[in-house]
Amino acid sequence: VPQHVWRINLDTPEEAHQNLSFGAADRWWEQTDLTKLILASNKLQCLSEDVRLLPALTVLDVHDNQLTSLPSALGQLENLQKLDVSHNKLESIPEELMQLPHLKSLLLHHNELSHLPDGFGQLVNLEELDLSNNHLSDIPTSFALLINLVRLNLACNQLKSLPADISAMKSLRHLDCTKNHLETVPSKLATMASLEQLYLRKNKLRSLPEFPSCKLLKELHAGENQIEILNAENLKHLNSLSVLELRDNKIKSVPDEITVLQKLERLDLSNNDISRLPYTLGNLPQLKFLALEGNPLRTIRRDLLQKGTQELLKYLRSKIQDDVTSPKEEPPVTAMTLPSESRINMHAITSLKLLEYSEKQAAGIPDDMFDAVRSNPVTTVNFSRNQLKEVPPRIVELKDAVCDVNLGFNRISSVSSELCLLHKLTHLDLRNNLLTSLPEEMEALTRLQIINLSFNRFKVFPSVLYHLLALETILLSNNQVGAVDPLQLKKMDRLGTLDLQNNDLLHVPPELGNCESLRTLLLEGNPFRTPRAAVLAKGTAAVLEYLRSRIPT
């Protein structure tokens, strides 16, 4: 590095020695000190101790050089917030580096580090630390003091274990331990309440930890290990999980409790030893990707596996009916419980304003459920996952207060007039039923904001929806809808989300591009030729722009 770079704050510029009149822009004596220095992608073998002459530096980037060591003077740069020394040949880090009070980002990946200074925990303001692709075999226990750390990357090292103290990192959201030699994960890891993404791929794990506190965990990647058992205990707390990747393990079975993962979108179980699947997997409402190749499945033909996720889920759902044995048995009636209240949650009715009778495989809703409501105002009704063939007629008794009704996963083939009288309704969930049309009387539901009609049997877009101008979300995926009317949709100026995935649209009308309120338009899985998949992949704004460009002038 040329010497004048280090002295840039100190030396007067050349032109100052000539007798010139300085314009406002050239008044060198008013210059501020240098705050960013980027020396990346050169051939530097060492950095001078003169770096201390730049005390105002907040960013120092020397990645992609040939440095084998760092100057101890770095410890004097007390304003430094980001230090990138990745892709060098560093074998150690000077202790002085631990004295940087404001350091937020420290990037050390792709070096030759085999150990770290014990004082690492002094970097209390660190938010991002990347140590991947080094030769580390252990982690200093002082890591526990890094309570502001949000991202920690330890991938591609030689770690045999993680210190349990790592669980004290209360802000950690992203932890990557891919490709190490981990045989277990400390159980305390499960108390990390902020953790959102956890990568444990390519290790030697035989089991998954339980995660009682990881309520926010969205992604768990544990492929290429030696996991043999997947327990209900491993899964039951992961309410937020959207990605579960367990490919290339030795898992023999999938517990029925996998259905507690209601937000799961991607499940990869390829190349395991799974011989049968719980059919209830088909009921995971958000599941978009299911990989099962390379398993000795007895119940699913190979050609079905190749048809893709939606066909597979459809098959699993079709099997649920065959699988349902007796409905869940009611608790015995004792002298202490009135017959009417043995199965009725009065607390839910009075405090939560919720009337729930779900997952009972029942053909009808018992009258005592409605009787129990009496004069209590109920705002939410959940009768999902039963065998209802019609909307319970007595639902009309709740019309003065009810605004959210869930009748999903039943066998309802038509919407009754009673449902159309619930004039305060804002949310209506009818997914996974046998509906082919909606009655015009639904026009009366003028407050309806969200309707879910996915997995039904609609062949045409229900025309009554065009008149419900408060609608913000229409979910109509996995039906057989052949067309939509863009001019009618344009009048729906609150409509932000329209999901038409996996229908029979042969043509997407260009005028749909004029529906400017749409923030999310989902069209994948339809037989139309244009827009092509590459355009769809760019997202809604790009699709709408493409459609507008095709409108004949």
Side-chain angles (χ1 to χ4, degrees):
V1 180
Q3 190 61 22
H4 67 260
V5 172
W6 302 126
R7 300 188 57 82
I8 196 165
N9 294 343
L10 307 174
D11 295 347
T12 50
E14 285 295 310
E15 57 269 31
H17 300 306
Q18 300 153 20
N19 193 5
L20 301 171
S21 60
F22 289 99
D26 305 326
R27 295 161 68 94
W28 52 267
W29 56 90
E30 292 183 357
Q31 279 179 7
T32 55
D33 281 354
L34 191 69
T35 58
K36 287 187 184 178
L37 178 55
I38 300 178
L39 300 165
S41 300
N42 281 291
K43 296 182 177 173
L44 304 177
Q45 294 181 351
C46 64
L47 278 184
S48 165
E49 296 281 349
D50 286 339
V51 69
R52 67 174 182 276
L53 301 176
L54 301 173
L57 280 186
T58 58
V59 175
L60 176 58
D61 183 351
V62 289
H63 83 266
D64 188 21
N65 278 286
Q66 294 167 21
L67 301 173
T68 53
S69 64
L70 294 173
S72 52
L74 281 179
Q76 296 174 38
L77 305 180
E78 56 182 39
N79 292 300
L80 203 59
Q81 293 180 20
K82 177 171 182 176
L83 176 59
D84 186 348
V85 290
S86 61
H87 292 274
N88 276 287
K89 297 178 178 176
L90 299 174
E91 294 177 8
S92 63
I93 300 169
E95 291 278 354
E96 288 79 3
L97 207 58
M98 305 300 114
Q99 296 160 12
L100 296 172
H102 300 298
L103 198 62
K104 287 185 178 169
S105 171
L106 177 55
L107 306 181
L108 294 160
H109 48 286
H110 290 274
N111 276 290
E112 309 285 327
L113 299 172
S114 54
H115 63 94
L116 298 173
D118 286 336
F120 228 99
Q122 294 168 39
L123 299 172
V124 286
N125 286 306
L126 213 52
E127 293 173 10
E128 176 183 33
L129 175 58
D130 194 337
L131 289 160
S132 58
N133 292 279
N134 278 287
H135 307 308
L136 300 171
S137 54
D138 59 6
I139 300 286
T141 49
S142 68
F143 259 45
L145 302 173
L146 302 177
I147 52 170
N148 289 305
L149 203 61
V150 174
R151 296 177 65 87
L152 173 58
N153 191 344
L154 298 168
C156 303
N157 277 288
Q158 293 160 21
L159 301 173
K160 290 194 171 64
S161 64
L162 292 173
D165 309 344
I166 204 169
S167 59
M169 297 181 179
K170 289 301 177 212
S171 308
L172 199 65
R173 279 191 234 148
H174 177 107
L175 174 59
D176 190 344
C177 299
T178 303
K179 210 170 178 190
N180 277 283
H181 304 315
L182 299 175
E183 292 178 12
T184 57
V185 176
S187 55
K188 272 192 163 174
L189 194 69
T191 62
M192 300 178 77
S194 300
L195 205 57
E196 291 178 11
Q197 294 167 309
L198 176 59
Y199 291 82
L200 297 167
R201 302 189 74 236
K202 298 192 179 192
N203 278 286
K204 296 180 178 177
L205 299 176
R206 293 185 175 278
S207 62
L208 277 179
E210 292 171 24
F211 295 99
S213 303
C214 298
K215 297 276 190 285
L216 300 178
L217 194 67
K218 293 185 177 70
E219 296 186 24
L220 174 57
H221 300 261
E224 296 188 55
N225 278 286
Q226 294 159 24
I227 298 170
E228 293 180 7
I229 296 178
L230 190 57
N231 281 329
E233 295 300 317
N234 302 134
L235 305 173
K236 69 180 185 190
H237 303 287
L238 300 176
N239 308 346
S240 304
L241 203 67
S242 65
V243 177
L244 178 58
E245 188 267 307
L246 293 165
R247 61 175 303 140
D248 297 285
N249 275 289
K250 297 177 179 177
I251 296 169
K252 293 186 172 54
S253 67
V254 178
D256 290 343
E257 288 81 1
I258 193 139
T259 49
V260 301
L261 306 180
Q262 284 287 299
K263 293 192 176 166
L264 202 61
E265 292 177 22
R266 296 179 67 86
L267 175 60
D268 190 344
L269 294 166
S270 26
N271 303 326
N272 276 283
D273 296 331
I274 299 166
S275 55
R276 63 170 296 279
L277 278 180
Y279 295 133
T280 46
L281 206 56
N283 280 342
L284 286 174
Q286 317 272 350
L287 198 61
K288 299 182 181 69
F289 173 87
L290 173 61
L292 295 166
E293 301 80 28
N295 281 290
L297 288 165
R298 297 205 186 97
T299 46
I300 299 177
R301 298 191 315 275
R302 180 168 295 173
D303 60 317
L304 189 62
L305 290 181
Q306 289 160 353
K307 286 184 179 171
T309 299
Q310 295 308 327
E311 285 295 317
L312 200 49
L313 294 178
K314 206 183 282 186
Y315 168 79
L316 290 170
R317 276 193 302 277
S318 74
K319 288 289 190 187
I320 294 175
Q321 306 321 123
D322 316 344
D323 220 31
V324 171
T325 44
S326 58
K328 291 185 186 168
E329 299 199 356
E330 299 295 346
V333 178
T334 66
M336 297 299 292
T337 51
L338 293 168
S340 64
E341 300 198 349
S342 61
R343 59 189 160 194
I344 296 172
N345 185 340
M346 289 309 293
H347 166 73
I349 292 175
T350 53
S351 305
L352 305 176
K353 301 186 174 156
L354 162 68
L355 182 61
E356 178 163 21
Y357 195 79
S358 62
E359 299 191 52
K360 301 276 194 281
Q361 301 300 334
I365 304 298
D367 280 335
D368 49 18
M369 291 299 293
F370 290 104
D371 296 342
V373 173
R374 300 200 226 2
S375 58
N376 290 301
V378 164
T379 58
T380 305
V381 171
N382 182 1
F383 293 156
S384 64
R385 297 176 194 277
N386 283 297
Q387 300 278 331
L388 304 178
K389 290 188 174 166
E390 59 171 9
V391 177
R394 287 188 65 182
I395 203 166
V396 70
E397 296 169 20
L398 312 173
K399 70 178 194 307
D400 291 335
V402 75
C403 49
D404 185 336
V405 169
N406 184 351
L407 290 162
F409 297 95
N410 278 290
R411 315 203 66 176
I412 297 169
S413 54
S414 66
V415 168
S416 64
S417 54
E418 287 89 356
L419 193 66
C420 303
L421 295 171
L422 306 180
H423 56 93
K424 290 192 173 170
L425 210 55
T426 57
H427 292 62
L428 178 57
D429 191 340
L430 288 164
R431 75 179 97 167
N432 294 73
N433 276 287
L434 307 173
L435 297 168
T436 54
S437 63
L438 296 179
E440 291 304 315
E441 295 98 303
M442 276 185 74
E443 260 193 80
L445 302 179
T446 53
R447 299 189 189 181
L448 196 61
Q449 295 171 6
I450 297 176
I451 188 164
N452 190 343
L453 300 167
S454 305
F455 293 99
N456 275 282
R457 299 188 176 174
F458 291 96
K459 292 194 168 151
V460 291
F461 190 95
S463 57
V464 67
L465 296 183
Y466 294 131
H467 305 300
L468 296 172
L469 297 182
L471 273 176
E472 296 169 9
T473 298
I474 297 176
L475 305 177
L476 241 175
S477 69
N478 297 281
N479 282 281
Q480 297 150 35
V481 174
V484 290
D485 184 340
L487 301 177
Q488 297 269 27
L489 282 171
K490 187 169 178 358
K491 295 178 192 164
M492 304 178 71
D493 53 8
R494 295 189 189 170
L495 190 63
T497 299
L498 177 59
D499 183 354
L500 291 166
Q501 294 177 99
N502 303 312
N503 275 283
D504 293 343
L505 296 173
L506 284 166
H507 168 68
V508 181
E511 294 77 11
L512 198 55
N514 287 332
C515 298
E516 288 167 10
S517 63
L518 279 179
R519 294 284 167 269
T520 305
L521 172 63
L522 301 171
L523 296 169
E524 287 81 0
N526 279 284
F528 55 76
R529 289 290 178 89
T530 56
R532 294 191 179 280
V535 177
L536 296 182
K538 289 181 183 168
T540 301
V543 172
L544 295 177
E545 190 179 335
Y546 169 85
L547 290 172
R548 283 195 293 275
S549 73
R550 309 277 291 207
I551 297 175
T553 47

